[in-house]
Amino acid sequence: MEIQDYLRILRTRWLVIVVTVAVAVLGALAVSLLTTPTYQSCSRVFVSTSGGTSVSESYQGNLFSQQRVASYSELVTGETLAARTIAELGLAMTPAELAAEVTATSTPDTVLLDMCVVDSSPGLARDIANSLAVQLTTLVRELETPEDGGAPIAGVRLVEEAKEAAAPIGPKTVRNIALGAAVGLLLGIALAVLRDRMDNTIKTRARLEAASGAALVGSIPFDKAFTDNTVVPFGGGHSSSAEAFRELRTNLQFLEVDHPPRVIVVTSAVPTEGKTTVAVNLALALAEAGHQVALVEGDLRRPRVSKYLGLIGAVGFSTVLAGQAGLKDVLQPTKFEGLQALASGPIPPNPSELLGSETARQVIADLHGMFDFVIIDGAPLLPVTDSAVLTAHSDGALIVARYGHTSEAEVGRAVENLEKIGARVLGAVLTMMPSGRKGAEGYSYYYETDKTLGRQTLNPAAPTTSPTLLADNSTSSARNGHGGSASAVPAASPRRRGAAPTVRRDEE
């Protein structure tokens, strides 16, 4: 992994790191608050030997005293001295427990020995430290006195009594929190990297192209407006979603300059990838450019185009395939100039067989002859084979993958299903892209319109009626006794190009 990869992980997985650091800090704080405060008191003794009559003897005696300090340090932390201290103070603990609270330190090249005691009671820590000094003096006298009598070779003198500590030495809350934050940061980064390595969902252009074996032809940004309205307002102001679909339209038209695809199936590996949204708005983007477009609801199991565009779903594709109506009888005009739709019709018991029939191939061929572009919203590829057989009747398929949701394996299996029957994959589309990046590798730009100049009103793809009015008209037709039959659906208008735009000047 390169530095850019780690920076990308930090940018995309920052929440994992923050949560880990927060947990570690809270854990360190909880440990500090739950730990009983401890106090430390220290006493100091001076180690001496019998003086010499010459400078050389005094020097040798000083070296001897320094060597004795190391030995006396071992006595201080031993259980023998601890037992004598317990007996003197009447403590309710074992010599091993007391020895664990005692430390002995000495300054190099000196004969001073410090004895420190740590206890939860500041007074008891003081008493133990002073008692240890007294007991050490007695024990050293016993050990250094010759068996045949005489003066001790070395001795210990108490030079500084222990005092009661005013503040506890532990727990060190600030240090524990800082240590917890450092450990949490390292652990959080490790978890973020591990999760990124184990995550096989598609988040970059390169991974989607590698999984699909086709070029990325469109990146659709995440837009909260899609939760309320699937149709992108192409005629409105600046819209990153509208620009993304215009870019998709341009890329499709230049896949093959001499023979661009005209009949396109929009599908995905699994549901909830945004394929219907892509199909509807791609059709609108093509209509905006002045093309005559047919939008076919090819998902005969879970149709959504009729719902999004407010169409009559009682008749449509399945009606024509069953021989119950003609194609021109069931084509429905939409509220967008240049766009007509073929709804799914009643849900059949055998969608795959109907879509793979010669009748379905002929219907798609007829639509190709009537319109500049035919956009088919197909079912997901992995659960059913409907889109695979539809793609065999078309110029190719667009594979839609959702950012951070679709796995590479799912896209790979979906493409395999198409390749098995010789169907063509035109390209891949990545939807629900986080704002500000394309394939997690690019950037988003905004080119503001000059508001001081006149505006051009474009007729293609401009709404002519509101969804409410369209629904009311459909309801009225049904009440007049024409709803639900093939004859009630307006016939397809002749194939034509969009009308010339009207130019007006806005008064600023």
Side-chain angles (χ1 to χ4, degrees), residues 180-506:
V183 173
L185 179 61
L186 295 177
L187 183 60
I189 294 175
L191 290 176
V193 172
L194 178 62
R195 184 174 179 182
D196 185 80
R197 294 296 89 190
M198 296 180 64
D199 186 5
N200 63 348
T201 58
I202 294 175
K203 295 187 178 67
T204 63
R205 173 187 187 132
R207 297 180 72 172
L208 179 55
E209 290 181 343
S212 62
L216 181 72
V217 295
S219 297
I220 312 302
F222 172 76
D223 193 344
K224 293 182 179 179
F226 284 157
T227 57
D228 301 323
N229 185 15
T230 306
V231 179
V232 173
F234 285 91
H238 170 77
S239 170
S240 58
S241 298
E243 292 301 326
F245 283 108
R246 292 187 182 108
E247 181 182 356
L248 173 59
R249 174 190 68 195
T250 303
N251 291 338
L252 285 177
Q253 291 175 324
F254 285 91
L255 281 177
E256 292 184 11
V257 179
D258 296 331
H259 302 286
R262 299 296 184 182
V263 182
I264 302 170
V265 176
V266 181
T267 183
S268 61
V270 292
T272 69
E273 304 294 89
K275 63 176 183 58
T276 303
T277 300
V278 172
V280 171
N281 290 288
L282 174 59
L284 290 176
L286 291 168
E288 181 195 36
H291 301 290
Q292 293 298 308
V293 183
L295 178 59
V296 180
E297 196 167 38
D299 189 347
L300 302 184
R301 301 173 188 268
R302 192 181 177 186
R304 287 293 180 268
V305 174
S306 301
K307 175 183 176 181
Y308 294 158
L309 296 181
L311 304 177
I312 299 174
V315 291
F317 200 8
S318 63
T319 309
V320 177
L321 296 180
Q324 299 175 355
L327 176 59
K328 293 185 178 180
D329 296 329
V330 297
L331 276 172
Q332 301 183 49
T334 67
K335 59 182 179 180
F336 302 97
E337 183 71 22
L339 177 63
Q340 297 189 49
L342 178 62
S344 66
I347 297 178
N350 54 345
S352 297
E353 288 76 6
L354 283 179
L355 296 175
S357 64
E358 179 63 23
T359 304
R361 188 198 64 78
Q362 186 59 47
V363 169
I364 294 176
D366 292 343
L367 288 171
H368 187 196
M370 297 168 58
F371 295 90
D372 298 329
F373 289 92
V374 179
I375 306 300
I376 304 175
D377 175 36
L381 285 165
L382 294 185
V384 292
T385 61
D386 299 6
S387 290
V389 296
L390 276 175
T391 307
H393 301 326
S394 67
D395 295 331
L398 286 179
I399 302 296
V400 177
R402 179 177 168 183
Y403 178 92
H405 183 269
T406 314
S407 68
E408 297 179 33
E410 290 171 339
V411 174
R413 291 198 302 270
V415 172
E416 288 179 4
N417 290 348
L418 294 177
E419 293 176 344
K420 286 179 181 178
I421 62 173
R424 179 187 177 193
V425 178
L426 299 175
V429 179
L430 191 57
T431 62
M432 302 290 285
M433 286 289 300
S435 301
R437 65 176 79 116
K438 287 187 178 182
E441 298 169 348
Y443 301 91
S444 178
Y445 300 96
Y446 175 54
Y447 192 59
E448 187 176 3
T449 304
D450 189 348
K451 297 181 180 180
T452 63
L453 301 179
R455 305 289 182 85
Q456 185 182 51
T457 304
L458 297 177
N459 291 331
T464 56
T465 58
S466 65
T468 304
L469 293 176
L470 183 64
D472 292 343
N473 292 337
S474 300
T475 305
S476 299
S477 299
R479 290 176 179 175
N480 291 335
H482 301 292
S485 64
S487 60
V489 182
S493 60
R495 180 176 179 179
R496 61 181 178 83
R497 295 290 179 181
T502 302
V503 179
R504 63 181 177 87
R505 299 289 296 182
D506 288 341

